[in-house]
């Protein structure tokens, strides 16, 4: 197998650098299940403050964070509304149904990543009809496929949720990318939501971990559920230290990832065979005929450029470990692919 030199597969592939590793090595630790780890407690306090919520809990993964949130909001047999392509519905191995006994109610996304408000409203079910699982939560995702949801839209969904007495969760795995793109504070971005999950292990560059923030009551429930799901970690300060370092050093720089994604997209768009979606943030989607996409993917893989392909689409993600030279190298490789085909 060819070694991947330029890894555009995901922003999860970032490796901790020297500064982050030093912070991890020097972290003060204790047994966090006893509430004794000062570094975990500090990460939770910093995350809660930064996102403008009362409390936070550090969890091993975004998947567990979403599940703990859904189970904190909803009881057994209740329904939550989420996007058809939402991570918490589609890409978490059915955990909400399997482990939470929750019924997902998926809604098809509009082209801009939103869930049309009238369709969300129509999907809400009350408790009076014994045929129906009562809705207790709406879950949004931002960014969604790298797209930033409009602030006004999130406000409208929040108003709808309040009107029906529903909880509102944000899967904000990449919410910092959205805040940086919009040039606003995270606290402002996530203000309408009762709970928010944020990945430390994606664009922020930490090796492991997510934080779930919300009210003291919801986070206390999530903390119990985290334990139930096997997410109670002991000297987890070593991991929390990476998250603290990431929040301090790696947020503002996401603007560079967005600029590189844009430059990559513009470079790819020079080839008429590639239908490139201009990115809002750090994810570039490229459609092409399989007759082009397949050999291009093979050419890139053979030359050490890692991308992912799903549903006949290529996905390129920029991150901490992709610099300008990596973008140039990848574009050069694409150029050579099309040159060789012209030569045929
Ligand atoms: C990656 C991701 C998650 C899950 O995070 P893991 O740490 O991989 O479990 C959840 N939601 C979204 C939108 C993601 O991109």
């Amino acid at each position: 197998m060819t070694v991947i030199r330029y890894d555009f597969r995901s922003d999860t592939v970032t490796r901790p650098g020297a500064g982050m590793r030093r912070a991890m090595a020097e972290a003060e630790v204790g047994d966090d299940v006893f509430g004794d780890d000062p570094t975990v407690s500090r990460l939770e306090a910093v995350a809660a403050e930064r996102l403008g919520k009362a409390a936070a809990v550090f969890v091993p993964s975004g998947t567990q964070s979403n599940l703990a949130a859904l189970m904190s909001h909803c009881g057994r047999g209740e329904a939550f509304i989420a996007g058809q392509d939402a991570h918490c519905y589609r890409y978490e191995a059915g955990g909400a149904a399997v482990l939470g006994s929750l019924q997902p109610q998926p809604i098809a996304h509009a082209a801009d990543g939103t869930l049309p408000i009238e369709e969300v409203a129509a999907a809400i079910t009350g408790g009076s009809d014994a045929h129906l699982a009562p809705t207790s939560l709406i879950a949004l995702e931002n960014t969604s496929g790298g797209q930033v949801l409009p602030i006004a839209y999130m406000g409208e969904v929040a108003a709808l949720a309040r009107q029906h007495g529903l909880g509102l969760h944000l899967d904000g795995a990449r919410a910092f990318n959205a805040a940086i793109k919009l040039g606003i504070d995270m606290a402002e971005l996530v203000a309408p939501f009762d709970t928010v999950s944020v990945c430390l292990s994606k664009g922020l560059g930490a090796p492991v971990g997510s934080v779930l923030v919300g009210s003291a009551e919801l986070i206390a429930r999530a903390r119990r559920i985290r334990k139930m799901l096997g997410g109670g970690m002991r000297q987890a300060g070593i991991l929390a230290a990476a998250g603290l370092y990431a929040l301090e050093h790696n947020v503002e720089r996401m603007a560079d990832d967005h600029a590189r994604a844009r430059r990559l997209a513009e470079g790819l768009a020079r080839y008429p065979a590639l239908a490139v979606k201009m990115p809002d943030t750090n994810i570039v989607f490229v459609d092409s005929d399989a007759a082009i996409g397949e050999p291009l993917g093979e050419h890139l893989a053979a030359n050490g450029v890692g991308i992912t392909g799903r549903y006949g689409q290529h996905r390129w993600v920029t991150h901490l470990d992709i610099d300008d030279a990596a973008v140039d190298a990848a574009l050069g490789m694409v150029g050579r692919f099309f040159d060789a085909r012209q030569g045929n």
Side-chain angles (χ1 to χ4, degrees):
M1 212 183 102
T2 320
V3 176
I4 298 178
R5 286 180 62 206
Y6 306 107
D7 199 345
F8 292 87
R9 289 174 303 166
S10 176
D11 46 10
T12 55
V13 303
T14 53
R15 289 169 214 198
M20 184 179 281
R21 284 172 189 260
R22 207 172 311 118
M24 295 172 77
E26 290 168 0
E28 236 189 295
V29 297
D31 188 327
D32 183 55
V33 176
F34 284 114
D36 284 352
D37 190 301
T39 309
V40 172
S41 300
R42 192 148 51 84
L43 172 64
E44 290 174 346
V46 166
E49 223 248 290
R50 191 91 177 246
L51 280 85
K53 306 294 182 202
V57 60
F58 179 50
V59 285
S61 69
T63 299
Q64 188 173 97
S65 190
N66 278 333
L67 181 55
L70 296 179
M71 291 175 70
S72 300
H73 283 281
C74 309
R76 187 158 185 262
E78 293 178 358
F80 70 98
I81 292 170
Q84 181 72 42
D85 293 323
H87 208 281
C88 69
Y89 165 58
R90 191 152 186 190
Y91 298 110
E92 296 182 358
V98 176
L99 303 170
S101 298
L102 309 182
Q103 166 154 292
Q105 173 58 64
I107 306 268
H109 295 259
D112 65 356
T114 61
L115 310 178
I117 194 103
E118 58 285 358
E119 287 178 35
V120 175
I124 296 171
T125 51
S128 56
D129 186 336
H131 295 83
L132 306 174
T135 310
S136 46
L137 179 73
I138 302 172
L140 296 183
E141 189 174 303
N142 195 11
T143 60
S144 166
Q147 289 181 302
V148 177
L149 299 187
I151 299 273
Y153 167 76
M154 291 189 287
E156 283 169 40
V157 177
L160 182 69
R162 273 195 300 274
Q163 185 193 329
H164 292 270
L166 310 179
L168 187 63
H169 172 66
L170 179 69
D171 179 354
R174 297 189 177 87
F176 274 105
N177 292 87
I180 288 292
K181 169 69 182 189
L182 295 169
I184 62 172
D185 240 39
M186 263 297 261
E188 187 186 340
L189 182 82
V190 306
F193 296 90
D194 301 312
T195 49
V196 184
S197 172
V198 174
C199 284
L200 300 165
S201 57
K202 294 197 168 154
L204 289 172
V208 175
S210 285
V211 282
L212 178 67
V213 303
S215 67
E217 191 197 332
L218 281 166
I219 296 305
R221 291 165 80 152
R223 201 175 280 285
R224 177 184 300 276
I225 292 161
R226 178 188 69 169
K227 191 76 184 88
M228 186 196 293
L229 297 174
M233 300 182 286
R234 303 294 177 173
Q235 285 73 42
I238 289 179
L239 302 174
L244 279 165
Y245 184 93
L247 287 175
E248 201 169 313
H249 295 92
N250 294 345
V251 174
E252 302 301 323
R253 61 152 307 287
M254 282 178 169
D256 300 341
D257 299 338
H258 301 169
R260 288 189 181 111
R262 160 71 54 165
R263 193 161 70 80
L264 176 69
E266 285 166 357
L268 294 171
R270 288 206 307 266
Y271 304 99
L274 303 180
V276 181
K277 189 143 175 286
M278 282 302 143
D280 273 356
T281 56
N282 68 326
I283 306 181
V284 181
F285 287 101
V286 182
D287 282 313
S288 59
D289 275 1
I292 296 284
E294 274 174 27
L296 174 59
E298 283 162 21
H299 168 82
L300 292 170
N303 286 282
V305 178
I307 58 170
T308 55
R310 276 206 293 216
Y311 325 119
Q313 232 183 11
H314 286 167
R315 189 184 83 153
W316 300 69
V317 184
T318 57
H319 52 74
L320 199 55
D321 294 348
I322 291 290
D323 57 11
D324 285 328
V327 172
D328 291 335
L331 286 174
M333 231 73 89
V334 173
R336 278 194 283 289
F337 171 81
F338 283 107
D339 287 349
R341 289 177 76 85
Q342 296 235 301
N344 277 344

